[in-house]
Amino acid sequence: MKTHTGERPYQCEHCDKAFVQKCTLQFHVKAIHGNKPHPKCKTCGKRLKSFSYSQCWLCRYEENGVFICEACNKECATLAELKQHKMEHGHQQLLSCEHCDLKFTSSFSMKKHLITHTDLRPFVCQKCGKDFKRDYNLRQHMITHKEDRPYICKICKSAFKSVPTLKQHLVSHSSDRPFICKDCGSGFKSSQGLRTHVVIHYKVKPLACKTCGKTFTFLGNLQRHYRVHTGEKPYQCKICDKRFSQSNGLKAHELTHRKPAKELEEFVCTVCGKKFKSFSNYKKHMQLH
């Protein structure tokens, strides 16, 4: 049918020609442009899929803090958002996930995504043993093991290990709340704050604890809850060896080694904005929502 509509979805990366079928594009590239190898990323050396950029998508993300579409230069906040956007440029049949609304262009991508709906966490950090569902999350986690903090906040001089974490920090210096809840109109400084908030509008919590029956909306929250029953405390203070079941508890504790009690950072509820000096009081308050 594409021959009748004039649609040409397969674009040559070397010139402006476009084709109806993928095999025709492949023949064109081989006959006209030869078997010219794709360039390598100037930062990590990985072979690039496109001639349009000098860096791979991950290196561009670490440098700019956003994911950029190679076709139209649109900036996306997350990798999942970029992948969904890229489908707008293609016309192939999409595969729908039976557990959520996401769509995929290949069975391989679908299989990788389905892991997120299971308890499997196959990607393990060789330095600390923390495991992840996606290889991308593992790569992002590895940044936390870096010693240098080359990215400096111009306002308060705080140092960070990556551009994304610096950009997340800069939000704290702004009074803008551009992320608006469609259900109640509440505004938030970050997309993460909005995602945390919208949970209160959910009427269904499909994930139940097998031990006590408590229900949760997100799998990550259920997995953290299990530590209440197992007593697992994977987060350890490097100074005094005290252990914690959650990373936030460890972060709050580490502040006691750096600042007097009166100067401790406040914990702010992302739902109602209430502030707490104690992480335990903050945690109890969040359970009310």
Side-chain angles (χ1 to χ4, degrees):
M1 292 297 295
K2 294 176 183 176
T3 56
H4 300 293
T5 63
E7 180 184 351
R8 294 174 177 267
Y10 299 100
Q11 176 74 45
C12 177
E13 295 179 334
H14 307 280
C15 65
D16 295 331
K17 284 188 174 293
F19 301 88
V20 176
Q21 297 180 331
K22 186 176 182 179
C23 60
T24 311
L25 168 62
Q26 292 172 336
F27 177 81
H28 161 81
V29 172
K30 187 175 182 180
I32 304 301
H33 304 291
N35 293 319
K36 183 180 179 181
H38 284 243
K40 292 183 178 181
C41 173
K42 67 178 184 181
T43 305
C44 67
K46 182 179 179 181
R47 185 72 68 179
L48 302 176
K49 294 182 179 180
S50 171
F51 287 83
S52 303
Y53 290 92
S54 59
Q55 288 178 295
C56 67
W57 64 267
L58 182 57
C59 292
R60 292 201 308 274
Y61 171 70
E62 292 183 347
E63 184 173 302
N64 302 300
V66 293
F67 295 95
I68 303 174
C69 175
E70 297 178 355
C72 65
N73 290 325
K74 179 180 178 180
E75 296 182 353
C76 301
T78 66
L79 179 60
E81 181 183 338
L82 173 63
K83 288 182 177 179
Q84 292 296 305
H85 164 74
K86 279 187 173 182
M87 294 177 188
E88 299 175 5
H89 296 295
H91 303 276
Q92 61 267 62
Q93 186 177 1
L94 303 179
L95 303 173
S96 299
C97 174
E98 59 184 11
H99 302 287
C100 65
D101 297 330
L102 294 180
K103 300 179 184 298
F104 301 89
T105 56
S106 68
S107 58
F108 176 74
S109 299
M110 169 73 83
K111 289 178 180 177
K112 287 183 64 176
H113 165 74
L114 288 175
I115 295 177
T116 64
H117 294 292
T118 71
D119 294 330
L120 297 175
R121 304 175 73 87
F123 302 98
V124 182
C125 175
Q126 299 299 317
K127 292 190 175 182
C128 67
K130 191 172 183 180
D131 49 15
F132 301 88
K133 291 188 174 184
R134 301 183 181 93
D135 54 349
Y136 162 72
N137 295 128
L138 173 59
R139 291 197 297 271
Q140 287 298 103
H141 163 76
M142 292 302 295
I143 296 175
T144 63
H145 292 296
K146 291 182 178 179
E147 295 297 331
D148 57 324
R149 295 172 177 264
Y151 304 100
I152 310 299
C153 173
K154 295 181 179 179
I155 301 174
C156 66
K157 307 305 179 183
S158 296
F160 300 89
K161 296 181 179 181
S162 66
V163 172
T165 51
L166 171 59
K167 288 196 171 185
Q168 290 174 6
H169 163 77
L170 289 174
V171 173
S172 64
H173 294 298
S174 172
S175 59
D176 296 336
R177 294 177 177 267
F179 300 92
I180 308 300
C181 175
K182 296 179 180 179
D183 295 303
C184 67
S186 297
F188 300 88
K189 290 185 177 182
S190 66
S191 58
Q192 178 61 44
L194 175 59
R195 286 195 297 269
T196 303
H197 161 78
V198 296
V199 175
I200 67 174
H201 298 298
Y202 291 176
K203 296 181 179 180
V204 179
K205 294 184 177 181
L207 305 173
C209 174
K210 297 178 181 179
T211 305
C212 67
K214 187 174 182 179
T215 57
F216 298 87
T217 303
F218 299 116
L219 180 60
N221 294 341
L222 173 60
Q223 291 172 336
R224 285 189 289 271
H225 166 76
Y226 275 135
R227 294 173 188 158
V228 175
H229 302 296
T230 63
E232 179 189 4
K233 295 184 177 182
Y235 303 99
Q236 183 175 6
C237 176
K238 297 180 180 179
I239 299 175
C240 67
D241 294 334
K242 189 173 182 179
R243 304 186 72 91
F244 299 85
S245 60
Q246 296 189 28
S247 59
N248 285 342
L250 172 60
K251 290 178 182 178
H253 166 77
E254 287 177 336
L255 293 174
T256 63
H257 292 295
R258 300 204 310 259
K259 299 179 180 180
K262 292 183 179 180
E263 298 180 11
L264 286 178
E265 295 181 6
E266 295 178 324
F267 297 92
V268 183
C269 174
T270 56
V271 179
C272 66
K274 192 173 182 179
K275 299 179 180 180
F276 300 87
K277 292 286 186 180
S278 166
F279 173 73
S280 59
N281 292 338
Y282 163 77
K283 183 179 177 183
K284 291 177 183 178
H285 169 78
M286 288 303 294
Q287 292 175 349
L288 300 177
H289 293 296

